[in-house]
Amino acid sequence: MTKKITGIAASNGVAIAKAYKLVDPDLSFETRTIDDAQGEKDRVNAAFLASKADLETIRTKAEASMGADEAEVFTAHIMVLEDPELLSSINDKIDTDKTNAEAALKAVTDMYIGMFEAMADDNPYMAERAADIRDVTKRVLSHLLGKDLPNPALINEEVVIVAHDMTPSDTAQLDRRYVKGFITDVGGRTAHAAIMARTLEIPAIVGSDVATKDIDENDMVILDGLDGDALILPSDAEIAEYQQKGRAYADKKVEWAKLKNEKSVSADGKEFVIGANIGTPKDLDGVIENGAEGVGLYRTEFLYMDSSELPTEEAQFESYKKVLESMDGKPVTVRTMDIGGDKHLPYLPLPEEDNPFMGYRAIRISLDRDDIFRTQLRALLRASVYGQLWIMFPMVATLPEFRAARDIFNEEKAKLVAEGTEVSDDIKLGIMIEIPAAAVLADKFAQEVDFFSIGTNDLIGYSMAADRGNDRVSYLYQPYNPSILRLVKNVIDSAHKYGKFAAMCGEMAGDPIALPILVGMGLDEFSMSATSILQARSLMKKLDTQEMAQLAEQAVDSETNDEVIALVQANVSVD
Ligand code: PEP
Ligand code: MG
């Protein structure tokens, strides 16, 4: 019998394929006293060789699909295995302690990991070495125990991935040719893995609670990312039904695609801007394919995350230049590094915090580590002559933070000009509005910034005190709650009062229920995952701004999230 589980619909479309579980096997073992030391040493040696063979295959695949830079991490892992000292320490341990291979491996690698971690505060490279050894140990141990480690880079047939959670780096490794979709136990619609699924245009369900428990390796699975349902071991009739649903969605996409070169305009002729959110220059194909009128959010932290050390000014300059040139004079809003929260850098260890989402992150790191910030700003300034550059700062809570960031920007600009480097004189400076304090004080900020970009993903989380990635409180993550709508309205009205531009780059901008309200509030730019653009443009064409202004008024005057959904559904046909 088919089993059905339901989660949060995180990325549209229907996928039907076998399950591939991205779940680590149980690698626990018992410590034993042994007689045959040579036998244990042979086992370690064989496990090292098998691990090296795995890593070489993974590296070759990763190089082909993601490029040499991304594959470098596997070279580092191979080097760990080739270090003669590591193997001889494990052999010594077997001899002296008369202990089994697994226990000797663990004892020796734990010692190295501890040693490197202790040095990590002074030398961030050491934290990375510790992480490499930890990864390699897992692989060698899996061979010793005869268990398979999942290797997403080795997938070579169509699958849907089943995982407890997906980190941004797991998601970045997925090969779209084979990975048809994914389902996780935890996570929310606006967690980064879900956002990346929409960018990759693969269906996804998050926060299902039970996917890894209820789905077995190789089970046939239907993943309905439109409604958040997954069917395990479906019948032929169900497969046919969902294939039809997938085709109907594909047909709609063909209709939307006709709007690729059209303006984003309401039924009564008011023009808006629909931009795209990107994480790397690699996302540009989708941006152009979907007819974006600009890049409304370039999340530059991925540049830092995809690298094994702080990216140089030159490497950053090349990326920014590429994006600006590719957009051919259309505006590109680059957000300075938003590290922290769920986005980590292995080479920049952050302090352990009870609540990293409210901790040391984003502009707070940039102002504290202004060496890193200045490098980024210099790269941006130098790239500014290749297009229309807007820069914004993430997680700004107070005006002094914005002023400090602006001062540093002006200092670096003056230095470059003094050095004779050409920089644009028309760079716009703005802030993300994702902290309620800034949303409330928007009228003060509006007098100093050039633009706002409302980051609803975090703004909703902080306003409702409901973590965006936590499915247990996802019922409180309410984009249409009138309290959120009032904050958004305050930001848009404050911008307009001072003749400034109001954009939104949180996922709400591409949400069909929110979009009519935002059109009614007069939001200037809607920036979203590129794959949502054409659907949004299609919906916008059907809306009258006067009617939507009335709808928006009723919405902010409502009492609950559900009331607003009902209100929009009663007035607008959102398909
Ligand atoms: C946001 O918070 O809405 C946003 C766009 O930033 P991010 O999703 O990268 O946190
Ligand atoms: Mg944010």
Side-chain angles (χ1 to χ4, degrees):
M1 253 267 296
T2 310
K3 183 164 177 147
K4 183 167 165 180
I5 59 181
T6 300
I8 300 166
S11 178
N12 285 340
V14 175
I16 306 175
K18 282 194 305 188
Y20 179 96
K21 291 182 83 169
L22 197 57
V23 179
D24 280 346
D26 177 8
L27 294 179
S28 55
F29 60 87
E30 278 176 16
T31 302
R32 285 179 290 113
T33 310
I34 48 98
D35 303 323
D36 178 10
Q38 190 54 47
E40 293 304 296
K41 287 193 243 175
D42 292 346
R43 287 181 64 223
V44 174
N45 203 34
F48 264 56
L49 289 175
S51 301
K52 199 172 150 206
D54 278 359
L55 286 165
E56 274 163 358
T57 316
I58 296 172
R59 179 175 61 183
T60 311
K61 285 269 300 189
E63 254 170 19
S65 62
M66 299 182 293
D69 283 357
E70 310 258 347
E72 232 171 57
V73 59
F74 302 112
T75 306
H77 289 186
I78 291 170
M79 280 165 64
V80 171
L81 286 169
E82 284 174 343
D83 178 355
E85 213 180 299
L86 179 62
L87 192 56
S88 67
S89 308
I90 297 169
N91 286 341
D92 289 350
K93 190 88 187 151
I94 294 175
D95 280 334
T96 51
D97 290 8
K98 294 271 172 286
T99 190
N100 56 327
E102 290 85 349
L105 167 78
K106 187 83 181 21
V108 169
T109 51
D110 276 355
M111 187 268 295
Y112 278 113
I113 291 167
M115 194 173 84
F116 286 129
E117 279 182 342
M119 293 189 275
D121 276 351
D122 300 325
N123 182 354
Y125 171 73
M126 293 299 165
E128 216 187 306
R129 295 274 302 150
D132 289 343
I133 296 176
R134 195 174 279 117
D135 261 29
V136 169
T137 306
K138 217 163 78 177
R139 183 167 299 284
V140 177
L141 201 50
S142 76
H143 281 291
L144 284 173
L145 296 169
K147 303 212 171 146
D148 286 335
L149 276 190
N151 280 324
L154 295 183
I155 296 172
N156 58 6
E157 57 176 344
E158 293 196 352
V159 296
V160 297
I161 300 236
V162 179
H164 179 66
D165 194 7
M166 299 278 285
T167 63
S169 60
D170 286 333
T171 321
Q173 281 188 53
L174 302 182
D175 183 337
R176 260 188 68 175
R177 279 173 305 170
Y178 302 121
V179 176
K180 296 291 144 193
F182 68 75
I183 177 163
T184 62
D185 294 338
V186 300
R189 220 189 109 74
T190 58
H192 288 97
I195 293 173
M196 286 165 86
R198 292 195 281 280
T199 304
L200 291 168
E201 223 174 342
I202 55 173
I205 298 173
V206 297
S208 72
D209 279 338
V210 292
T212 56
K213 183 168 79 54
D214 287 3
I215 303 177
D216 288 327
E217 187 80 13
N218 288 326
D219 276 357
M220 187 53 93
V221 177
I222 295 176
L223 209 76
D224 174 2
L226 294 157
D227 289 321
D229 296 325
L231 279 71
I232 308 159
L233 300 176
S235 66
D236 289 348
E238 284 163 334
I239 291 182
E241 180 195 335
Y242 278 89
Q243 279 170 336
Q244 175 53 32
K245 188 167 181 181
R247 275 195 296 273
Y249 179 67
D251 289 346
K252 256 192 212 167
K253 289 206 318 198
V254 172
E255 272 308 298
W256 296 332
K258 295 180 184 154
L259 301 175
K260 176 180 163 183
N261 296 317
E262 294 200 9
K263 287 192 167 154
S264 304
V265 58
S266 65
D268 55 323
K270 178 162 182 211
E271 282 184 24
F272 296 87
V273 178
I274 301 190
N277 296 348
I278 64 169
T280 93
K282 285 186 227 150
D283 297 337
L284 283 167
D285 290 346
V287 172
I288 291 160
E289 230 164 76
N290 287 290
E293 292 158 291
V295 167
L297 167 63
Y298 175 6
R299 291 182 164 96
T300 60
E301 53 276 9
F302 288 100
L303 199 73
Y304 293 72
M305 289 162 68
D306 284 350
S307 169
S308 53
E309 57 194 2
L310 280 171
T312 60
E313 181 182 318
E314 207 51 37
Q316 294 194 52
F317 165 74
E318 288 300 332
S319 294
Y320 305 148
K321 174 171 175 247
K322 169 133 207 277
V323 175
L324 284 159
E325 280 183 340
S326 305
M327 291 313 291
D328 208 9
K330 297 190 182 85
V332 172
T333 304
V334 179
R335 173 173 81 182
T336 59
M337 175 187 97
D338 184 11
I339 287 296
D342 62 347
K343 292 178 278 195
H344 304 286
L345 299 181
Y347 51 86
L348 185 76
L350 300 177
E352 274 290 318
E353 292 178 314
D354 286 342
N355 196 344
F357 279 89
M358 289 199 190
Y360 182 65
R361 57 174 299 193
I363 192 70
R364 303 166 187 185
I365 300 180
S366 292
L367 293 176
D368 182 44
R369 287 289 308 268
D370 72 324
D371 52 326
I372 301 176
F373 191 42
R374 284 176 194 274
T375 304
Q376 178 164 35
L377 291 173
R378 285 174 73 84
L380 282 166
L381 280 155
R382 285 173 50 208
S384 65
V385 291
Y386 294 94
Q388 199 189 137
L389 176 64
W390 298 30
I391 297 175
M392 64 181 171
F393 307 119
M395 301 293 296
V396 172
T398 68
L399 260 166
E401 279 175 328
F402 170 69
R403 290 176 187 142
R406 182 184 56 196
D407 288 348
I408 294 175
F409 169 83
N410 284 331
E411 279 169 29
E412 290 308 317
K413 184 173 170 188
K415 277 192 224 163
L416 282 167
V417 171
E419 290 164 19
T421 305
E422 209 190 326
V423 300
S424 163
D425 229 3
D426 190 28
I427 303 172
K428 304 253 184 299
L429 279 193
I431 58 167
M432 296 273 299
I433 299 268
E434 44 195 341
I435 297 182
V440 170
L441 216 60
D443 59 324
K444 299 295 176 195
F445 280 99
Q447 298 174 49
E448 302 199 28
V449 302
D450 293 321
F451 69 97
F452 291 135
S453 187
I454 309 172
T456 49
N457 304 342
D458 282 314
L459 183 63
I460 297 165
Y462 294 132
S463 301
M464 303 297 296
D467 208 328
R468 61 196 269 193
N470 183 345
D471 54 292
R472 298 189 77 162
V473 292
S474 63
Y475 69 100
L476 279 172
Y477 192 88
Q478 301 180 345
Y480 328 110
N481 188 300
S483 62
I484 303 294
L485 299 180
R486 288 180 188 197
L487 286 177
V488 167
K489 182 168 167 24
N490 185 51
V491 176
I492 299 172
D493 289 348
S494 300
H496 291 168
K497 181 170 172 200
Y498 292 98
K500 304 295 169 67
F501 190 86
M504 178 180 285
C505 61
E507 291 299 300
M508 190 170 165
D511 176 330
I513 298 285
L515 189 135
I517 299 172
L518 299 170
V519 162
M521 288 182 181
L523 182 72
D524 299 305
E525 178 183 283
F526 298 66
S527 191
M528 58 192 71
S529 304
T531 49
S532 303
I533 291 176
L534 295 167
Q535 181 180 9
R537 189 170 288 156
S538 158
L539 174 57
M540 205 174 254
K541 265 169 83 85
K542 299 178 195 158
L543 306 175
D544 177 273
T545 52
Q546 296 301 321
E547 283 170 26
M548 293 307 112
Q550 278 174 14
L551 183 79
E553 247 172 62
Q554 281 176 277
V556 294
D557 199 35
S558 299
E559 289 174 358
T560 65
N561 193 65
D562 285 348
E563 206 183 304
V564 174
I565 296 174
L567 176 73
V568 175
Q569 283 173 340
N571 285 278
V572 180
S573 123
V574 293
D575 61 1

